[in-house]
Amino acid sequence: MDAHTTSPAEPAEHQPLEVREIVAGLGYDPDFNWAWDNYKRTIVEIARRKGLTRHLEIGGGRDPLFLPEEAAAHGFDVTLNDISAHELSLAPDGYATVQCDIAGKDANAILGAERYDIAYSRMVMEHVPDVARMWENIAHTLAPGGVAFSFFPTLYAPPYVLNRLIPEKISRWMLETVFPDRKNDGDNPKFPAYYDYCFSAEEKLVPMLTRAGFSDVVTLPFWGYSYFWKFPGIRRIDAAFTKLARARQWRAVSSFAYVIATK
């Protein structure tokens, strides 16, 4: 993809590059630790380079990506969205908030048309039962040229396949036993997961995103997770398989993905 042509007088750091070029310049690594460590940095860089100031963080209730002073320092006007009034009540003071189901039929009326420049979510998409409608609603609320960014776990990584197949009560007990902070009163509670469209393969995502109103899609797969780290035998086998899958770019068994789409 060619960069937008700019005049010689325009500083390089202000050239309106395409998302694909911006992400490439961040030093993408397919290890899952890179995804977690660089999520905020990626959003900052995309927003800075493309002049995206009006932000919507989806599912950002109790744990917003940017503290109010961080957002102000970057020149971002951040609105937090969540389906739950309780989750929004746990956010620090200093944000605009909007409560709605991002995949709901009334989301367009609540969010408004072309109100935001960038919308992003982390570990939210797997909990949405109708992801196609979610992306349609996001496209509606983004201004032309706006960017949507979702960071989510992907099928068919073994932990998520198990979570999808095992009844919710059993999977909840298993997860809370290994990770106590995932209890309802913990810092990172578990919510039901559907994994609708949770893939890193572009052929599975791009047609849906095109129908939703996006013209350019960047998909970055990642491999690895920490779920088996407390089980040494399983961990070694899983680590060997993950290393092979990452080396051969087997997206069918990736663990996470960034999907960044431009309206």
Side-chain angles (χ1 to χ4, degrees):
M1 183 179 298
D2 294 332
H4 177 82
T5 302
T6 58
S7 66
E10 186 176 0
E13 66 269 20
H14 294 144
Q15 293 178 9
L17 296 176
E18 298 293 344
V19 167
R20 194 177 305 274
E21 296 170 294
I22 296 170
V23 173
L26 295 175
Y28 159 71
D29 187 305
D31 182 82
F32 81 108
N33 288 297
W34 192 96
W36 287 101
D37 292 344
N38 289 276
Y39 173 68
K40 179 187 285 190
R41 175 177 170 236
T42 303
I43 289 172
V44 168
E45 195 64 14
I46 290 172
R48 184 179 70 86
R49 298 298 293 268
K50 294 183 72 67
L52 309 176
T53 59
R54 299 175 299 168
H55 291 217
L56 177 68
E57 183 173 7
I58 299 163
R62 72 169 60 205
D63 186 25
L65 182 62
F66 297 100
L67 294 174
E69 54 268 28
E70 286 182 293
H74 288 298
F76 300 159
D77 179 11
V78 177
T79 297
L80 301 182
N81 157 260
D82 208 287
I83 193 173
S84 166
H86 173 68
E87 291 293 313
L88 287 173
S89 73
L90 298 175
D93 294 333
Y95 300 94
T97 61
V98 56
Q99 181 191 351
C100 72
D101 177 356
I102 193 62
K105 294 180 179 180
D106 59 351
N108 286 348
I110 296 172
L111 293 171
E114 301 184 0
R115 186 172 292 176
Y116 303 99
D117 301 314
I118 183 170
Y120 42 86
S121 65
R122 52 180 166 159
M123 304 303 114
V124 170
M125 200 171 103
E126 70 273 23
H127 304 295
V128 176
D130 189 348
V131 163
R133 181 178 285 274
M134 179 195 85
W135 283 98
E136 290 169 4
N137 292 345
I138 292 172
H140 176 82
T141 201
L142 285 177
V147 173
F149 185 163
S150 186
F151 174 26
F152 55 91
T154 57
L155 297 174
Y156 293 92
Y160 313 134
V161 172
L162 288 172
N163 191 34
R164 190 183 189 191
L165 295 177
I166 296 173
E168 174 65 20
K169 288 184 179 180
I170 297 175
S171 66
R172 178 181 295 276
W173 173 82
M174 292 171 62
L175 187 68
E176 293 176 355
T177 299
V178 179
F179 300 101
D181 68 320
R182 301 302 304 273
K183 294 181 179 179
N184 284 337
D185 58 352
D187 293 333
N188 186 24
K190 182 185 187 299
F191 300 103
Y194 305 96
Y195 300 103
D196 187 35
Y197 279 105
C198 284
F199 305 103
S200 64
E202 292 185 344
E203 63 270 18
K204 293 180 179 290
L205 293 169
V206 171
M208 179 270 292
L209 292 169
T210 301
R211 290 192 298 270
F214 294 95
S215 60
D216 185 46
V217 179
V218 177
T219 303
L220 301 179
F222 301 93
W223 287 265
Y225 39 75
S226 60
Y227 289 102
F228 297 146
W229 286 4
K230 293 188 177 183
F231 307 97
I234 298 175
R235 181 183 64 195
R236 285 192 293 270
I237 296 170
D238 184 70
F241 176 76
T242 297
K243 182 178 179 180
L244 178 64
R246 183 170 62 236
R248 298 193 177 183
Q249 292 282 297
W250 289 343
R251 290 194 180 212
V253 288
S254 64
S255 308
F256 298 97
Y258 285 180
V259 170
I260 310 170
T262 302
K263 180 177 175 181

